[in-house]
Amino acid sequence: MFIFSSASILLASIGIVLAVTSFISGLQLVRATSASIEGMIHRANGYLTVILFIILTFIAISSSMINIAAVALPLTGLAVFLVKLWIVRRHKRFLKYVSWMGGTLILVWLLIFYINIPI
């Protein structure tokens, strides 16, 4: 059986790649003095991440599986992403926790990947 036979595992794989590149570009943005290509990559990764979380949630809801983790993990990842965005936009004193939230997003994507692996 081919490993990428399921759309959700393919999307989760893309999500892992996006989370890692977003984490790296975000750390480079902290050090940069001006917005550069890393800023554009980071913003594009953010938009694609939100889209993937929403698609995976709809796939989990529309499938006949009764797997709570398949629905809860994308919603948890979306919540972590929105909290991270809220911190960056509103509260400058909490910026030191944004990298921790980026690491948490990588872990959420790994869990989503693990949940969607066909057994």
Side-chain angles (χ1 to χ4, degrees):
M1 183 172 161
F2 189 63
I3 193 165
F4 293 121
S5 61
S6 170
S8 59
I9 195 160
L10 180 62
L11 293 175
S13 302
I14 293 169
I16 291 171
V17 172
L18 285 175
V20 171
T21 57
S22 180
F23 185 73
I24 292 170
S25 65
L27 289 177
Q28 289 175 346
L29 269 176
V30 171
R31 290 192 219 158
T33 56
S34 63
S36 59
I37 192 73
E38 287 90 6
M40 291 186 289
I41 291 171
H42 195 69
R43 186 171 292 233
N45 281 342
Y47 289 130
L48 290 174
T49 300
V50 169
I51 291 168
L52 285 178
F53 279 136
I54 292 170
I55 289 172
L56 283 172
T57 303
F58 282 132
I59 287 173
I61 290 172
S62 67
S63 70
S64 61
M65 296 185 312
I66 306 178
N67 190 353
I68 301 298
V71 177
L73 281 172
L75 291 176
T76 302
L78 186 59
V80 168
F81 182 83
L82 293 175
V83 167
K84 179 183 162 193
L85 188 65
W86 177 71
I87 288 172
V88 169
R89 305 251 177 188
R90 301 281 187 234
H91 298 286
K92 300 293 183 189
R93 62 184 175 182
F94 294 128
L95 283 179
K96 60 184 174 183
Y97 299 112
V98 173
S99 63
W100 285 94
M101 302 211 97
T104 304
L105 283 175
I106 293 173
L107 291 176
V108 168
W109 276 114
L110 288 172
L111 287 171
I112 290 172
F113 183 79
Y114 178 75
I115 291 297
N116 289 305
I117 291 176
I119 297 175

